[in-house]
Amino acid sequence: MNICCIGAGYVGGPTMAMIALKCPEHRVTVVDINEKRIAAWNSDELPVYEPGLDDVVREARGRNLFFSTDVNGTIAEADMIFISVNTPTKTYGVGAGRAADLKFIEKCARQIADVAKGNIIVVEKSTLPVRTAESVRRILEGCGGEFTFQVLSNPEFLAEGTAMEDLNEPDRVLIGGEQTPEGEEAAQALVDVYAHWVPRERILTTNVWSSELSKLTANAFLAQRVSSINAISALCEATEADVEEVARAIGTDSRIGPKFLKSSVGFGGSCFQKDILNLVYLCQHFGLPEVADYWEQVIVMNDYQKSRFVRRLVRTLFNTVSDKKIAILGFAFKKDTNDTRESPAIYVCRDLLEEQANVHIYDPKVKPAQIFADLGQAATDADGKANDSIIIEEDVYAACKDAHAVAILTEWDQFKTLDWQRIYDNMLKPAFVFDGRNILDAAALRKIGFEVSGIGRV
Ligand code: NAD
Ligand code: UGA
């Protein structure tokens, strides 16, 4: 088959690289309108940092994996077309701040309608509100083009930072299709792709609507666990209970389970917030305000957790951070990714800047330009003078030197093995550490002399 994927982002790139690796007989082409991104996929410095991705791309690229800006040409030759474009929260008009913005999806559908040929299978890979496949179908039908088609829903469940493991050994692959002979045949063609490496019993087939809704629901349930434990973290701080101990104690109940109970400065990433907001919007749309309020609280709790972290930091630093140097370790929304979308670090830094602190930021994978863009500030002013309230450091020890406090905002492994004695010696005293990820050995740091605040632990 000729497989085309529209959208060479965090999902399209890694997912198609894995399909190409596992299915050498299929030709897989990933297309994007973003020329820079495609050029990066064709270079040695991929646009997405993901452990294990480089090796897979190196093996398959040029063999049966291609990255191209020729969107129309690739669609015209394709038998199977994945749509993997972004579906951000709408920022304008009806549903602004909640509904998913489907303009990129609609553009793709219209582009497919214009140029596709033969018998094609259109696969929704992007995360979409339930019943989007109906709109895609109507656009394809309405164009009177020279092709026949089926629309499948095949949401992606990979998490960034572990994308290649998740793709290689998924808990499940979900394929939703129309329950007609033609729909079942199309679903089977996609099952056959995944069956190259995924055990058959892990490939679930459902109707299209269940598949679309399951994706939003899975993210809502995962985010809800983080907000639940974060809610308890606030109570722990008030009562001298330790949230890490509470999480361990409840996680050993097999009905609750140990995963996704790590208390933190808040969840980030491009999907949890937008997908829950989308779910909230759908519930409101279908006249279910109580259900909408129930899920919205997951977001409210997450916002509270981020601002609570800054308030506690300021309070501890004698109620002022004005003109103080705060070292920020980690800017990505989680470890092992260069993605900063909705990273809690953005909110924490903005609040600290609002309090007139100077933030010195170190992250091993995020580029300085990205950090300035996320914080809505320029690296230099009109006269070329450097921004002295935001300094991006290449060296973690330089970031901490003469700082009043260090805040850990991403759980990069390297932070656990830093020379903390050296950091202490070079900081102002009292030397404060705010461990927004609970990754450090607080007892060992206290022995050195640090004053340590974790999340949900005193
Ligand atoms: P992304 O922003 O990294 O990539 C999307 C790409 O689509 C961009 O490069 C953009 O230029 C391209 N694009 C947009 N419109 C286009 C068009 N008309 N033609 C060609 N290219 C076009 O987004 P992402 O993180 O890869 O997410 C994609 C989808 O997958 C979203 O719906 C998201 O919710 C879902 N998802 C993401 C993750 C994740 O971990 N990032 C996991 C599961 C599902
Ligand atoms: C999440 C889901 O885990 C994926 O299954 C899904 O495919 C994806 O969203 C998506 O649809 O985009 P991702 O956002 O990449 O994946 O990363 P997660 O590992 O889920 O982490 C999300 C955020 O929650 C991070 O900021 C992380 O630090 C935080 N988190 C996670 C916690 O604070 N505590 C935890 O116990 C787990």
Side-chain angles (χ1 to χ4, degrees):
M1 275 195 299
N2 272 331
I3 296 178
C4 163
C5 174
I6 311 179
Y10 281 85
V11 169
T15 309
M16 292 303 125
M18 185 59 74
I19 290 181
L21 180 80
K22 301 290 186 179
C23 310
E25 78 277 25
H26 297 317
R27 183 185 165 93
V28 182
T29 308
V30 192
V31 295
D32 205 295
I33 42 176
N34 183 334
E35 288 175 13
K36 256 190 172 166
R37 223 170 198 185
I38 290 297
W41 279 111
N42 283 318
S43 76
D44 285 338
E45 203 184 330
L46 303 182
V48 168
Y49 172 68
E50 198 59 68
L53 176 63
D54 282 18
D55 291 343
V56 173
V57 170
R58 211 170 298 127
E59 189 168 341
R61 194 174 56 194
R63 180 189 75 184
N64 65 328
L65 174 65
F66 303 90
F67 295 93
S68 164
T69 49
D70 180 11
V71 181
N72 281 349
T74 308
I75 293 173
E77 289 184 356
D79 305 296
M80 186 177 271
I81 303 164
F82 287 84
I83 302 181
S84 188
V85 298
N86 37 331
T87 50
T89 304
K90 230 180 140 192
T91 52
Y92 53 89
V94 177
R98 295 198 166 179
D101 191 342
L102 298 179
K103 69 177 173 202
F104 303 111
I105 295 287
E106 177 161 350
K107 262 193 197 141
C108 287
R110 290 191 185 278
Q111 216 157 352
I112 295 170
D114 282 346
V115 297
K117 292 195 186 84
N119 192 3
I120 60 163
I121 300 172
V122 175
V123 186
E124 298 175 342
K125 180 55 97 182
S126 297
T127 301
L128 298 169
V130 55
R131 295 208 72 90
T132 303
E134 176 71 11
S135 314
V136 173
R137 187 183 60 75
R138 285 185 54 198
I139 292 168
L140 295 177
E141 241 168 30
C143 73
E146 288 169 15
F147 60 90
T148 57
F149 68 89
Q150 280 294 317
V151 181
L152 301 176
S153 159
N154 171 224
E156 184 49 60
F157 294 100
L158 68 79
E160 291 178 30
T162 54
M164 301 319 282
E165 282 167 47
D166 297 340
L167 287 166
N168 194 33
E169 277 187 65
D171 285 349
R172 76 334 208 155
V173 166
L174 181 56
I175 299 173
E178 240 183 70
Q179 287 167 335
T180 58
E182 297 79 13
E184 280 162 14
E185 196 185 320
Q188 187 57 44
L190 187 54
V191 168
D192 291 343
V193 169
Y194 286 108
H196 279 73
W197 78 98
V198 180
R200 186 61 188 84
E201 64 278 10
R202 290 200 189 176
I203 306 177
L204 312 182
T205 49
T206 64
N207 79 34
V208 184
W209 320 123
S210 307
S211 173
E212 286 178 337
L213 185 56
S214 296
K215 174 62 198 177
L216 290 185
T217 308
N219 274 357
F221 271 59
L222 289 169
Q224 183 193 41
R225 280 176 70 94
V226 179
S227 275
S228 297
I229 198 69
N230 282 345
I232 297 302
S233 77
L235 188 56
C236 286
E237 285 164 29
T239 57
E240 290 184 35
D242 181 323
V243 78
E244 295 291 314
E245 292 179 350
V246 174
R248 184 150 44 93
I250 64 166
T252 47
D253 184 327
S254 60
R255 293 167 303 175
I256 297 174
K259 293 185 185 164
F260 251 73
L261 281 181
K262 185 81 186 161
S263 193
S264 65
V265 57
F267 62 72
S270 59
C271 294
F272 278 177
Q273 176 165 307
K274 93 167 159 63
D275 291 349
I276 294 171
L277 289 172
N278 190 356
L279 189 62
V280 167
Y281 182 73
L282 281 169
C283 296
Q284 286 165 339
H285 173 79
F286 286 105
L288 304 167
E290 291 82 359
V291 187
D293 291 350
Y294 177 76
W295 287 109
E296 188 157 29
Q297 196 56 30
V298 174
I299 303 287
V300 171
M301 186 52 60
N302 197 48
D303 290 340
Y304 167 69
Q305 190 74 350
K306 290 181 278 190
S307 57
R308 204 170 71 78
F309 180 82
V310 177
R311 282 203 304 275
R312 188 170 173 215
L313 187 151
V314 174
R315 198 172 58 239
T316 310
L317 292 186
F318 315 108
N319 286 312
T320 175
V321 289
S322 181
D323 254 343
K324 289 184 177 170
K325 172 173 174 177
I326 313 292
I328 302 291
L329 304 196
F331 200 80
F333 83 97
K334 63 185 286 197
K335 73 172 180 176
D336 292 338
T337 178
N338 59 345
D339 195 348
T340 60
R341 290 178 289 181
E342 291 300 331
S343 178
I346 299 172
Y347 295 89
V348 168
C349 288
R350 279 193 191 156
D351 283 1
L352 288 172
L353 290 166
E354 190 77 10
E355 291 286 342
Q356 300 185 346
N358 299 321
V359 291
H360 289 236
I361 304 170
Y362 168 81
D363 187 287
K365 288 289 172 193
V366 180
K367 298 249 171 20
Q370 184 64 50
I371 297 177
F372 281 110
D374 287 335
L375 295 177
Q377 296 217 18
T380 52
D381 67 13
D383 303 328
K385 187 176 163 290
N387 186 331
D388 47 17
S389 55
I390 305 171
I391 313 285
I392 315 295
E393 303 276 8
E394 275 179 26
D395 177 63
V396 64
Y397 295 101
C400 300
K401 189 169 183 316
D402 297 327
H404 292 258
V406 174
I408 309 275
L409 298 185
T410 311
E411 72 281 23
W412 287 103
D413 288 337
Q414 58 174 260
F415 298 155
K416 295 184 207 166
T417 52
L418 293 176
D419 182 347
W420 283 99
Q421 181 67 56
R422 178 177 163 197
I423 290 174
Y424 179 79
D425 291 343
N426 290 314
M427 277 177 70
L428 298 186
K429 309 295 178 314
F432 294 97
V433 171
F434 295 87
D435 184 0
R437 295 289 181 166
N438 286 348
I439 56 168
L440 301 177
D441 180 346
L445 291 191
R446 285 193 184 110
K447 237 189 215 159
I448 293 175
F450 283 105
E451 300 211 10
V452 186
S453 307
I455 299 280
R457 47 195 347 197
V458 280

